[in-house]
């Protein structure tokens, strides 16, 4: 039972329009520049409503087709993945060219500057799987996209990993929403449980990235001052290649 049905603010009512795809896509596109936007929450919420509608359709047959509109899981997945990749590409290009008001504002962000310092060595070496992991961490997507462009990483070293990160992140969000909607229905509880799982993944990703950065820093100090720093990295590069 949805405890907010009486107020009109049901989960289904918030996603009952084809415009939900545009809202989700726009939020994901922009949150590389404004990491405070709740793009992940929107993806999970829309997927929860979609999954619960599928379950209701299977239970009530043709009558469900006359019910409120619900976004499709596959179109939602494609929109989320595409918007995530395109946002990364825009941030990468802005930082690569070193121009634009948005790029300069991001460079002045204390939050992004701190995260970039922690991940600078990984970015200088291409990042690899860390690009995927950073997509789940708070502000990690912004740090990776702007950092890869600012340090002059070739597009072939960054964009394939960005595409993979976008697909994995979108699949995870839609998958969580599907599970929540299937088991708990289009209720606020059905959305909140997957959202909590999304935040948990973000916390674990941030913790892993911090530990990785500390390990790299420790290896750099152990290697001694003779080891040169990677291009654009704020800390000396380790002697061994990044994992």
């Amino acid at each position: 039972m949805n405890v907010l049905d009486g107020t009109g603010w049901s989960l289904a009512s918030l996603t009952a329009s084809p415009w939900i795809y545009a809202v989700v896509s726009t939020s994901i596109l922009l949150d590389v520049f404004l990491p405070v936007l709740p793009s992940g929450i929107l993806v999970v919420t829309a997927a929860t409503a979609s999954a619960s509608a599928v379950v209701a359709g299977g239970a009530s047959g043709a009558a469900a087709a006359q019910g409120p509109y619900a976004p499709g899981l596959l179109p939602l997945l494609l929109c989320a993945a595409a918007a995530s990749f395109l946002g990364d590409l825009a941030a990468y290009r802005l930082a690569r060219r070193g121009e634009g008001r948005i790029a300069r504002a991001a460079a002045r962000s204390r939050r992004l500057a701190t995260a970039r310092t922690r991940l600078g060595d990984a970015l200088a070496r291409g990042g690899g799987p860390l690009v995927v992991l950073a997509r789940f961490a708070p502000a990690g997507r912004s740090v990776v996209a702007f950092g890869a462009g600012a340090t002059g990483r070739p597009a072939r070293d960054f964009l394939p990993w960005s595409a993979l990160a976008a697909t994995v992140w979108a699949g995870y969000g839609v998958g969580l929403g599907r599970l929540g909607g299937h088991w708990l229905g289009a209720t606020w509880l059905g959305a909140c449980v997957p959202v909590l799982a999304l935040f948990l993944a973000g916390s674990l990703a941030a913790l892993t990235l911090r530990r990785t950065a500390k390990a790299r820093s420790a290896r750099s100090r152990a290697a001694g001052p003779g080891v040169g720093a990677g291009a654009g990295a704020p800390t000396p590069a380790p002697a061994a290649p990044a994992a």
Side-chain angles (χ1 to χ4, degrees):
M1 178 180 179
N2 193 331
V3 297
L4 296 181
D5 277 344
T7 68
W9 288 94
S10 67
L11 193 62
S13 70
L14 296 179
T15 59
S17 168
W19 284 101
I20 187 62
Y21 299 117
V23 172
V24 169
S25 297
T26 301
S27 176
I28 296 172
L29 272 170
L30 295 180
D31 79 356
V32 70
F33 307 109
L34 301 170
V36 296
L37 292 178
S39 58
I41 296 176
L42 286 175
V43 171
V44 169
T45 301
T48 301
S50 175
S52 62
V54 171
V55 173
S60 57
Q66 303 174 358
Y69 177 86
L73 286 174
L74 181 58
L76 183 64
L77 173 63
L78 295 177
C79 285
S84 181
F85 175 73
L86 292 176
D88 286 359
L89 177 61
Y92 171 81
R93 292 298 185 189
L94 281 172
R96 184 73 182 266
R97 291 181 351 202
E99 60 188 27
R101 187 175 303 174
I102 295 177
R104 290 193 295 271
R108 291 195 298 267
S109 169
R110 179 179 301 177
R111 184 181 187 187
L112 295 184
T114 300
R116 182 181 173 187
T117 298
R118 293 172 176 168
L119 300 178
D121 180 60
L123 290 174
R125 292 177 172 273
L130 291 182
V131 174
V132 180
L133 187 62
R135 183 60 184 85
F136 291 82
R141 175 194 182 196
S142 303
V143 172
V144 168
F146 280 107
T151 55
R153 295 306 307 172
R156 65 178 180 273
D157 290 344
F158 169 68
L159 295 182
W161 288 105
S162 173
L164 178 61
T167 303
V168 171
W169 176 82
Y172 182 72
V174 170
L176 287 177
R178 184 187 184 284
L179 290 176
H182 180 79
W183 294 109
L184 300 173
T187 65
W188 292 106
L189 178 62
C192 285
V193 172
V195 166
L196 288 176
L198 187 67
F199 278 112
L200 177 60
S203 299
L204 291 176
L207 178 61
T208 302
L209 290 171
R210 284 196 293 269
R211 289 183 173 178
T212 300
K214 288 180 180 179
R216 292 179 187 275
S217 179
R219 290 199 300 268
S220 296
R221 289 193 296 269
V227 180
T235 55

